[in-house]
Amino acid sequence: MRYHNITKDDMLNGDGLRVVLWVAGCSHCCKECHNPITWDPDGGVLFDDAAKQEIYDQLNKDYISGITFSGGDPLHSANRHTIRGLVEEIRRKYPAKTIWLYTGDLWENILHYPIMKYIDVLVDGEFVQELKNTNLRWRGSSNQRVIDVQQSLKQADPGIPVLHCCD
């Protein structure tokens, strides 16, 4: 897996102060994407032990609420395996920290992915320029949803997502 950046003390991509891993690789290629440099799965730099330690150094801080995976798309085929392993390890090491994940995929298509049992909040859906709304929290267009993954998975019909919050 490759990545472009690790953002520290981020307040825009989830609840509280967070560390954000911006991965390389996205097949959605949304019109007017805010981060098109991350589309190429061969872009950025190799995610290695030093990058993982940089993330853990941030998560060790009491004031950091958790981690957000963005990009690119963490669920892109170039990223999915590594992200799943990293998410599992973070959940074990930092059970009190929240894990957010942004993807262009829809909840209904990915709710059965094994990684979902470790995700707290999922922001799903492609960015749609025609639905752009700068007043929305944690998302760029009104078609995207901020989903409480664990509550959704507990539903009789997990295909009907429980929203994390409303605007």
Side-chain angles (χ1 to χ4, degrees):
M1 180 180 84
R2 302 181 71 78
Y3 76 104
H4 282 272
N5 195 19
I6 297 171
T7 305
K8 300 167 181 115
D9 298 337
D10 181 282
M11 298 186 322
L12 301 175
N13 295 284
D15 283 327
L17 285 174
R18 312 187 68 72
V19 58
V20 182
L21 176 62
W22 302 89
V23 299
C26 184
S27 58
H28 300 285
C29 304
C30 302
K31 177 183 169 188
E32 300 297 321
C33 170
H34 78 282
N35 213 0
I37 194 170
T38 64
W39 292 354
D40 181 1
D42 296 319
V45 295
L46 184 66
F47 186 80
D48 58 9
D49 287 337
K52 185 190 289 190
Q53 188 58 51
E54 186 176 345
I55 289 169
Y56 289 164
D57 288 346
Q58 292 303 303
L59 290 172
N60 283 332
K61 297 175 180 177
D62 289 340
Y63 65 85
I64 296 295
S65 300
I67 185 166
T68 298
F69 294 93
S70 193
D73 190 338
L75 298 182
H76 183 276
S77 60
N79 303 323
R80 199 175 301 142
H81 177 74
T82 303
I83 292 294
R84 179 179 173 194
L86 186 57
V87 165
E88 288 178 17
E89 192 172 321
I90 289 169
R91 179 58 70 215
R92 257 191 329 274
K93 288 179 72 136
Y94 305 98
K97 305 284 183 173
T98 58
I99 300 174
W100 285 51
L101 190 142
Y102 281 77
T103 182
D105 293 321
L106 293 176
W107 167 252
E108 293 79 2
N109 298 329
I110 60 174
L111 67 99
H112 296 296
Y113 282 16
I115 192 174
M116 290 304 145
K117 67 182 174 184
Y118 303 103
I119 304 298
D120 295 298
V121 178
L122 178 82
V123 180
D124 82 333
E126 294 182 354
F127 171 74
V128 177
Q129 174 62 30
E130 296 76 21
L131 300 176
K132 180 178 180 178
N133 183 338
T134 57
N135 294 318
L136 300 172
R137 283 178 74 174
W138 305 308
R139 55 199 174 117
S141 59
S142 60
N143 63 297
Q144 296 172 308
R145 300 172 292 184
V146 182
I147 298 169
D148 183 323
V149 173
Q150 297 310 307
Q151 287 302 312
S152 297
L153 292 175
K154 292 176 185 173
Q155 297 296 312
D157 181 358
I160 301 172
V162 175
L163 298 183
H164 173 67
C165 69
C166 52
D167 295 307

